[in-house]
Amino acid sequence: MTSSVGRAGAGRVAIGGILHETHTFMAQATTIADFADQSLHAGADLIAAMRGSRSGIGGMIDRATEAGWQLLPTLYAAAMPGGPVTATAYHELLSEFRARLQQAMPVDGVLLALHGAMVAEGELDAESDIVAQARAIVGDAPIVVLLDMHGNISPRLVELADVLLAYDTNPHIDAYARGEEAAAIMARLLRRELRPTPAFARPALLLPAQSTGTAVPPLAPVHQRAAEIEALDAVVCVAVMGGFAYADTPHTGPSIIVTTDSQPALAAACAEELSALLYELRSEATPSYLEPAEAVRLAAGQDRGPVILVDSADNIGGGTPGDGADALVAMLACDVLEGTIVLADAQAVDICWRAGKAAEITLAVGGKVDDWHGQPVTVTVTGTVRALSDGVFACELPDNHFASFYGNTVRMGRTVWLRVAGVNILLTERKTPPLDLAQLRHIGIQPEAQRMIVVKSAVAYRVAYMPIAADVIEMDTAGLCSANLSRFPYRHLPRPVYPLD
């Protein structure tokens, strides 16, 4: 290999990534079309599409450009969280990535944006497989990997990569900054200023998605201590992984990765300390909820602005279908005036589009994908199609979570504003997390004018919705992201583990 390593400001650096948060209990598989619907770019198109975005790979691109490196784009693919990636889709993406990385050789380093909780048919540890494929091609060239903090990390991945770092925030508002950090670490590696010595520790613990916010316990104190450790001269980075409890794998759950410069004993001690601290705080991971009818009744009694009703069991960002109708049933029964809910229901969207704007129709919405979310709710009152949209909108928030993976423009597919009595139902062809107020505003629904808004999210909604929220009420609804983890039939998970045992 002809290498430019050691020449200040020079370097041939390959860049790419394959990202998916996989809910292994969801029956509907994730296909190549799901990646194409969100973000699928190869070669020069990768740079053109992701440069300037607030994504992790966007931060890598911008910092690498400033450094004057020759960036060698491979493949970047990201799909909305969902069921296992089909073997066909996985191998198609992996083959494209491998081929382009081989074409880029020789390289001095590889920057990868991965998720950490991707599962494909026949592959429970997709990230390790991807990095192993890269390692087989590039040899001992440094590989730096940026992860979502919801990743389920295996020791094998720690061994394969030179440096693993992760988002420090949930909601994920620091993806771009962590991408810049990944490139900065690569610069040190290219200058041979750094000999990474990583250590890995994992507590016997599972955290439901509702308990993985980084501003509150149990993760907040761990991050505070991690920041103190990261300030030590010998520490390169600390990744506090909250894990993704809805992926049934042998390495599911929180973990800690501490990388030092030539000090493996320090890395091991710090990783074990943070892992023990997280386990000590495990009792902080028990959320409390209200039945939807009670939550709606309380919200209806408020007059200070929108009450956010959190339907975290149907957390789209965790891979659910986004069509659970428990909260809608409660709002209609309570005769709510100015309440809003978003449902992913392509069939209902098609009916409304064929009826046209201003049409009055009766139809069934929600609950169509699986029996985790109940039976469809038939809207027996007259509903009016208030507006139709192509579902494309630009995020209002500059550091929006959408940008962490897909770029700044969101595409929900054909979208309908259906007004049923006093309830606004936003129907979308594609499930879309509630991570930006433009999702409602782009079609004419004013978030600030609502008495209550249902969000199908566990934590990520907070950046967009907390600034307008009069109150927040967590609901106990049916769904694939229930906080009650004992509902899930784990087969691969190592036992014992808290809170299941």
Side-chain angles (χ1 to χ4, degrees):
M1 177 189 302
T2 302
S3 175
S4 58
V5 172
R7 297 212 311 264
R12 289 173 54 84
V13 177
I15 190 168
I18 304 174
L19 298 95
H20 189 253
E21 186 177 71
T22 304
H23 197 310
T24 61
F25 299 106
M26 185 173 181
Q28 289 70 33
T30 299
T31 68
I32 197 69
D34 294 310
F35 285 92
D37 281 345
Q38 297 298 332
S39 191
L40 181 54
H41 308 286
D45 181 48
L46 186 165
I47 304 296
M50 302 310 294
R51 170 180 280 142
S53 73
R54 301 304 295 177
S55 63
I57 200 168
M60 293 176 182
I61 292 169
D62 290 350
R63 188 65 175 262
T65 302
E66 291 173 7
W69 300 340
Q70 182 180 356
L71 269 183
L72 306 165
T74 58
L75 172 78
Y76 184 78
M80 196 67 71
V85 178
T86 65
T88 298
Y90 179 65
H91 290 296
E92 181 176 337
L93 294 172
L94 192 57
S95 295
E96 180 75 11
F97 168 71
R98 276 199 315 259
R100 289 186 177 274
L101 182 58
Q102 189 68 62
Q103 291 168 9
M105 293 295 290
V107 301
D108 299 314
V110 181
L111 286 169
L112 292 177
L114 304 177
H115 185 279
M118 180 176 174
V119 175
E121 293 172 348
E123 181 53 72
L124 293 176
D125 188 8
E127 280 80 10
S128 291
D129 187 42
I130 293 167
V131 177
Q133 301 280 346
R135 179 62 73 197
I137 294 171
V138 305
D140 61 359
I143 299 176
V144 178
V145 181
L146 174 61
L147 299 162
D148 186 308
M149 52 78 65
H150 286 107
N152 297 318
I153 306 306
S154 70
R156 183 182 180 219
L157 181 60
V158 180
E159 294 170 2
L160 284 165
D162 290 86
V163 178
L164 297 172
L165 65 160
Y167 308 156
D168 290 327
T169 60
N170 183 29
H172 306 322
I173 59 173
D174 67 331
Y176 181 86
R178 298 287 74 74
E180 289 186 304
E181 182 183 0
I185 291 171
M186 177 61 77
R188 296 179 64 189
L189 290 166
L190 294 182
R191 294 192 298 265
R192 297 178 179 173
E193 297 174 354
L194 174 64
R195 184 173 74 86
T197 47
F200 173 77
R202 181 165 61 219
L205 175 66
L206 286 182
L207 295 178
Q210 294 85 343
S211 300
T212 59
T214 52
V216 295
L219 288 181
V222 181
H223 274 281
Q224 290 167 7
R225 178 60 183 141
E228 296 170 356
I229 291 172
E230 207 166 39
L232 299 174
D233 288 342
V235 176
V236 178
C237 60
V238 178
V240 178
M241 311 298 295
F244 184 63
Y246 310 104
D248 183 14
T249 77
H251 41 270
T252 293
S255 61
I256 306 292
I257 309 159
V258 178
T259 303
T260 58
D261 181 8
S262 304
Q263 295 200 30
L266 175 63
C270 291
E272 291 296 340
E273 176 192 343
L274 292 173
S275 177
L277 175 59
L278 180 54
Y279 191 76
E280 289 172 9
L281 295 166
R282 63 192 181 279
S283 63
E284 302 282 351
T286 308
S288 58
Y289 304 93
L290 293 178
E291 291 296 320
E294 177 65 8
V296 167
R297 185 188 66 79
L298 290 175
Q302 296 264 18
D303 58 3
R304 295 181 291 112
V307 175
I308 307 305
L309 302 179
V310 183
D311 185 0
S312 60
D314 193 14
N315 170 21
I316 295 171
T320 69
D323 71 342
D326 287 359
L328 175 60
V329 172
M331 284 196 290
L332 293 176
C334 193
D335 295 326
V336 167
L337 183 62
E338 297 310 330
T340 292
I341 184 171
V342 181
L343 296 175
D345 190 333
Q347 184 181 93
V349 167
D350 188 60
I351 292 171
C352 291
W353 269 71
R354 284 190 280 111
K357 184 177 179 181
E360 295 184 354
I361 57 175
T362 299
L363 74 167
V365 297
K368 296 188 173 107
V369 173
D370 57 48
D371 57 9
W372 285 83
H373 299 82
Q375 296 302 310
V377 175
T378 299
V379 181
T380 55
V381 294
T382 300
T384 304
V385 177
R386 294 287 294 270
L388 302 172
S389 161
D390 63 4
V392 178
F393 65 87
C395 295
E396 296 177 0
L397 296 174
D399 289 318
N400 197 286
H401 173 71
F402 278 119
S404 298
F405 303 119
Y406 316 115
N408 297 327
T409 300
V410 179
R411 296 171 176 83
M412 302 187 292
R414 293 185 302 173
T415 300
V416 176
W417 172 10
L418 180 67
R419 177 81 172 186
V420 180
V423 177
N424 301 307
I425 306 174
L426 188 69
L427 298 167
T428 66
E429 280 189 313
R430 299 175 189 152
K431 61 182 185 180
T432 307
L435 305 176
D436 199 282
L437 296 181
Q439 182 182 29
L440 304 181
R441 212 187 311 276
H442 93 281
I443 203 168
I445 300 173
Q446 296 304 313
E448 298 84 354
Q450 304 306 299
R451 185 173 294 273
M452 63 190 74
I453 302 173
V454 176
V455 293
K456 293 181 175 294
S457 169
V459 175
Y461 72 89
R462 294 175 185 171
V463 173
Y465 282 87
M466 290 307 292
I468 68 168
D471 198 1
V472 175
I473 301 175
E474 300 270 358
M475 297 185 297
D476 185 13
T477 57
L480 275 165
C481 280
S482 169
N484 183 357
L485 300 179
S486 65
R487 296 179 179 177
F488 298 96
Y490 291 100
R491 295 187 299 115
H492 302 289
L493 186 70
R495 308 294 283 267
V497 63
Y498 181 89
L500 301 183
D501 303 304

